[in-house]
Amino acid sequence: MRNFLQSFLEYLEKEKNYSPLTLKSYGEDITFFIAHLEEEHPELQIQEVSYVFIRNWIVSMVEQGLQNVSINRKISSLQTFFKFLRKTNVLTENPLAKHQPLKKQKKVQVPFSVKEMENLQEFTLMGSDYQEILHKTLIDFFYATGVRKSELIELKFSQVDFGKNQIKVLGKRNKERIIPMIPALKQSLEVYAEARSKFLKTVSDDFFFVNKNGVKLNQTFVYRLINSYLSIVSEKAKKSPHVLRHTFATHLLNQGADINSVKELLGHSSLASTQVYTHSSLAELQQVYQNAHPRNQE
């Protein structure tokens, strides 16, 4: 089965142009399934896999304590794998054709308030050494653009156009979008670029954001940095780069931004993905309605 997996990953990389991170995720999910089959049914061939075997795998994951959202992601990866095997005539039918995803509890992401972001702005005044300037600029960048953590990490210097005041971002599946550079962000980026040139002798692969050694940032560093700074100004449980993305979208919508424009800025493929950010806007709209409607003044 593993030889089919290798062909599948090569297909995703060369034909679908998937990112290394996405390929890794698919590979891990499907390898997890193959390992389960090899342990439970060592002689089973890929053509013999039916939904019964997949259901047993799902039950085993539930018993291991995996959350439904994680199980659904693994099943989604397996679904894509089986579709590939159907396309290449390895399988005559998809054993997951009638599968229904497990129900998952919807978690409301609580954005940071404008006041919390103002407090963060005051706390992270631009410092004088490279580390302080980098930290300040990362926070400004997340809040002013709403980019994903991976998009920030992969950003190249050539994607930042100070002349046109815009940033070219490569999102999921290398989908390109342009984000305007507001004056406050431009000022931060110019200060950072000057510090980058002043303090760093060498920089790897022209990545825009790099550590003090000129090396590309990693996921753990960025997450911990954002979490530590947000912990100073907020007691909210969730303090991550993704919540800053959520905050970016919510604050735009609260200020009257068109949801389709916010969709484009976030790089969503469908409006449904953007609508999850509207709950705070609706709460504010309800408050305005209650305060303004004549019947509520009686």
Side-chain angles (χ1 to χ4, degrees):
M1 293 187 192
R2 294 179 186 269
N3 59 324
F4 292 117
L5 172 57
Q6 185 59 39
S7 299
F8 171 63
L9 294 177
E10 290 176 359
Y11 164 76
L12 294 183
E13 179 183 16
K14 296 175 182 178
E15 299 292 330
K16 295 295 185 179
N17 203 25
Y18 280 15
S19 70
L21 199 62
T22 302
L23 292 174
K24 180 182 178 183
S25 179
Y26 273 104
E28 289 176 348
D29 289 342
I30 297 167
T31 298
F32 190 50
F33 172 68
I34 292 174
H36 169 79
L37 287 184
E38 289 176 342
E39 181 177 347
E40 298 292 327
H41 311 281
E43 303 300 323
L44 193 71
Q45 300 298 310
I46 191 68
Q47 293 84 357
E48 300 172 316
V49 175
S50 67
Y51 187 69
V52 173
F53 297 105
I54 300 170
R55 180 175 172 76
N56 290 339
W57 180 50
I58 294 172
V59 171
S60 74
M61 289 191 286
V62 172
E63 291 174 346
Q64 292 173 41
L66 270 69
Q67 297 295 315
N68 285 4
V69 64
S70 298
I71 295 174
N72 284 340
R73 193 204 71 214
K74 294 181 186 299
I75 295 298
S76 177
S77 297
L78 192 61
Q79 179 78 269
T80 306
F81 179 50
F82 284 142
K83 286 180 179 178
F84 166 77
L85 295 179
R86 282 275 291 112
K87 182 177 181 179
T88 54
N89 297 318
V90 175
L91 297 180
T92 56
E93 61 182 34
N94 183 349
L96 275 170
K98 297 183 179 180
H99 173 76
Q100 295 296 320
L102 302 182
K103 292 183 179 180
K104 56 184 180 180
Q105 181 182 3
K106 291 185 178 180
K107 295 183 179 180
V108 176
Q109 292 280 2
V110 181
F112 297 103
S113 66
V114 173
K115 181 62 177 176
E116 285 173 322
M117 295 309 300
E118 289 175 349
N119 291 340
L120 184 61
Q121 177 74 15
E122 292 177 5
F123 183 81
T124 57
L125 293 174
M126 195 65 78
S128 57
D129 65 22
Y130 181 74
Q131 287 281 78
E132 292 176 336
I133 294 173
L134 173 64
H135 294 181
K136 159 72 172 171
T137 310
L138 290 177
I139 293 170
D140 287 350
F141 196 87
F142 273 123
Y143 182 47
T145 63
V147 297
R148 302 176 179 92
K149 179 174 57 175
S150 59
E151 293 170 345
L152 177 143
I153 291 173
E154 297 295 332
L155 187 72
K156 297 291 187 70
F157 221 97
S158 58
Q159 294 170 235
V160 180
D161 192 329
F162 288 104
K164 294 182 179 179
N165 295 327
Q166 62 185 32
I167 301 160
K168 183 187 296 182
V169 176
L170 293 178
K172 291 183 177 180
R173 301 181 183 180
N174 285 334
K175 183 181 178 182
E176 181 183 296
R177 68 184 188 277
I178 301 295
I179 299 177
M181 191 188 304
I182 60 175
L185 177 61
K186 181 177 182 179
Q187 183 179 0
S188 290
L189 294 181
E190 287 177 337
V191 171
Y192 168 75
E194 184 178 348
R196 184 178 182 272
S197 176
K198 175 182 177 182
F199 291 105
L200 306 182
K201 294 181 179 179
T202 58
V203 176
S204 63
D205 298 323
D206 197 37
F207 287 105
F208 191 81
F209 293 113
V210 293
N211 64 23
K212 62 181 180 181
N213 298 316
V215 177
K216 174 185 176 182
L217 303 181
N218 61 56
Q219 301 262 349
T220 302
F221 170 83
V222 174
Y223 176 85
R224 288 178 176 173
L225 171 73
I226 298 303
N227 182 273
S228 64
Y229 275 97
L230 290 174
S231 297
I232 297 169
V233 299
S234 177
E235 295 182 355
K236 288 183 173 68
K238 190 73 172 177
K239 300 183 266 300
S240 67
H242 183 73
V243 183
L244 279 183
R245 176 173 165 85
H246 180 67
T247 301
F248 163 83
T250 302
H251 288 183
L252 286 180
L253 291 167
N254 285 347
Q255 292 297 316
D258 174 66
I259 191 170
N260 284 293
S261 299
V262 176
K263 167 183 171 290
E264 294 302 317
L265 289 170
L266 292 172
H268 286 159
S269 57
S270 70
L271 195 60
S273 300
T274 313
Q275 287 172 334
V276 301
Y277 297 107
T278 63
H279 70 90
S280 297
S281 302
L282 291 174
E284 184 162 305
L285 185 61
Q286 183 180 29
Q287 186 63 45
V288 171
Y289 173 74
Q290 290 175 343
N291 292 339
H293 198 283
R295 286 288 179 88
N296 206 41
Q297 309 303 315
E298 299 174 357

